[in-house]
Amino acid sequence: MFAAIPFIAAADDSEDSSYTDVTVTSVEYDPEVFMPGDEGTITITVKNTEDESVTISRAEIYSQDVTNLNDEAYDTVGALGAGNSMEFTFNVKVPLNEGIYYPRFYLDFYGSSGLSYNVPVKVDDTGLTISVINSPDAWQEDVSKSIQIRVGNPSQVTADGVIIYASGDGIESDQTSFFVGALEPNEYVDVTFEITPSKETTLKLNAEWNNGMNLHTSEISVPVEFGEDTTGADLVINNVEVSGGTVTGDVSNAGLKDAYSVIVTVGSPAEAIEPYKQYVLGSLESDDFSSFEVTYSIQGSSSSFPLVITWKGENGNTYSSEYTVSASSSGMAVEGDDSASSGGTPSGMGSGGPSGGGMGVMGMSGAGFANMPIAEIIIGLIIVIGLVVAWKKGYLAKAVKVVKEKLNKGDRK
């Protein structure tokens, strides 16, 4: 802010009038604006505007607040020729409180009292800000989810070498950091992390940057608490029928998002066997359903077994649910535990199933073709065709006439 601003400072009263023509012409700061506790440099340029040289015995900067870290650097200076300029660079450390401070710059001339000038130094505690733009309503153990943050620079100076980190106990991220580089005043950048928590914890989001030679950090904390995902796919099994080592039913997606790679099989104590060890439904849109058929065997006297359904969400995470069914009954399955993981398809899952997987009656797939009443439809078509043929041949008219005659005879009696 104060860099390269020309200043005019007159020397104190002196026996040598030429000293009054030595002036401060500029002050430069690095960094331009200090943050509390920062170290940096102040460079002061003086010029001799007279036709004769002057002799400078020493240069110094004094302050009760701003510390001069190289106070012996200019104990001996020397002559400053006519029309020449000279720079004095001081390494300083500013206090921990915000404000504007005025250390005093001194030049001692040989045989004279010297030059004095107040140097304004600004200390501002405004750093980078971090805000969460988009975060999951609830997290799940070992499930990857996205969190988007915005890092802004509300200060008066450029933040250099900006790096953004995500960390925390039990936190895994697809990318440990993002390098942003320089962030100009009033600029911002949006960053998205894919976070996988292994337990309930606190997610820490940090932004590091340099102000001159000083490293600074801004941080926010986001609580990671596990809960039910109310916005994803929610697969439900119903219309279950068990007969002779075969279990059939429907899978409905009651969630708000599509499910992918949907697979149905059985769990212990039942064992999936050929020909339909796993039934692959593929994708299942929200509010859609499809039918399945799994063949199994069961050992011992167990009267129930779980149906296991697995699927992938839009972020690639694998989810699963279990539904307990009776080995000798039919109807609605009883839902068991739901689980989710960020790994691949559970072991034992394949791509088998009738007609290449996910196929219903007549090779049709998708919204429940396997449950269509084909026999009833065929019988209905036969009846309709028969009525059309009878009408065309006049059989219907003759039948109606006969009925009317019998009704008339009955009325006469």
Side-chain angles (χ1 to χ4, degrees), residues 13 66 79 83 85 108 168 176 246 276 291 311 335 340 385 397 404 410:
D13 293 339
V66 178
S85 297
D108 291 335
T176 57
T246 299
Y276 309 134
S291 300
W311 71 95
E335 184 173 3
I385 293 171
K404 285 182 177 181

Side-chain angles (χ1 to χ4, degrees), residues 1 22 38 53 82 114 147 156 175-176 181 188 208 237 254 298 300 307 338 352 357 365 382 407 411-412:
M1 176 178 288
V22 176
D38 273 1
S53 66
I147 183 170
Q156 304 174 20
Q175 187 165 346
T176 57
Y188 67 85
E208 290 185 355
I237 294 180
I298 190 167
L307 279 173
D338 292 348
S365 65
I382 292 173
L407 291 174
D411 292 339
R412 293 191 192 100

Side-chain angles (χ1 to χ4, degrees), residues 3 28-29 67 84 108 126 140 169 202 252 297 312 368 372 402:
E28 296 180 354
Y29 305 85
T67 304
N84 292 339
D108 291 335
T126 303
Q140 285 81 45
D169 184 23
T202 298
S252 301
S297 65
K312 291 183 180 294
M372 292 182 64
V402 171

